Amino acid sequence: MTSVLVNPVSSSHKSIAIFASGTGTNAKNIIEHFSQHPFINVQLVVCNKPTAGVVDIAAANQIPALLIDKEKFFRGTGYLNELKEAQIDFIVLAGFLWKIPQTLVDAYRNRIVNIHPALLPKFGGKGMYGTKVHEAVIAAGETESGITIHYANEDYDKGDIIFQASCPVLREDSAESLAERIHGLEHKHYAKVIDKIMIEL
Ligand code: GAR
């Protein structure tokens, strides 16, 4: 398998592509965080769902949105050329539910991060996203949940963990109320953690 080295670090300026396919509250937060940054910018939003809220968020912030097709994403070099053309250095997954193909993992090794709305390795893996995660946490009688920011690799939710933060699960919690608390943690930490990693790149 050939791997393409994308945009090797040659200058101090760094560009992010956010991959998201949901409401996009994390994407919005990250875009706002980096909007005034001296040398890191959000250059592209990549989305597999034309109706996703994140597409509107990209437009409102004058950031191009690349709508991707599943077959092309998983075939050959996928969207590597598009990412290369946009000079993307770093990929942030924020509610993106497809597995990352091997070619993309190889081209962006240790340059793809994901956020998961639970304390991995618990409650991770295929099919574990959004509300389903919170329902499983409540059904298991957990008294604590949280967020995990980790490097993404070719397996769901298995890359090295970078950061975790926790919060209580209350007896009266519904999946929705827990999701809200978790979103609060995500918005508090994700952009800051990305910023820290990218400064050290
Ligand atoms: C976030 O809670 C994120 O942790 C989760 O999707 C939500 C997206 O919310 N990701 C996963 O479950 C990945 N397995 P957002 O669209 O409001 O940013």
Side-chain angles (χ1 to χ4, degrees), residues 12-35:
S12 55
H13 191 92
K14 310 234 169 23
S15 294
I16 297 174
I18 300 178
F19 285 35
S21 45
T23 319
T25 64
N26 279 287
K28 182 170 186 281
N29 206 262
I30 294 162
I31 289 167
E32 280 166 7
H33 176 95
F34 288 107
S35 64

Side-chain angles (χ1 to χ4, degrees), residues 156-184:
Y156 279 110
D157 303 326
K158 288 274 173 63
D160 290 348
I161 291 174
I162 302 162
F163 176 89
Q164 291 186 305
S166 60
C167 64
V169 179
L170 307 177
R171 283 163 72 94
E172 63 272 24
D173 262 333
S174 61
E176 289 70 29
S177 62
L178 180 55
E180 205 177 311
R181 198 171 305 121
I182 296 284
H183 259 126

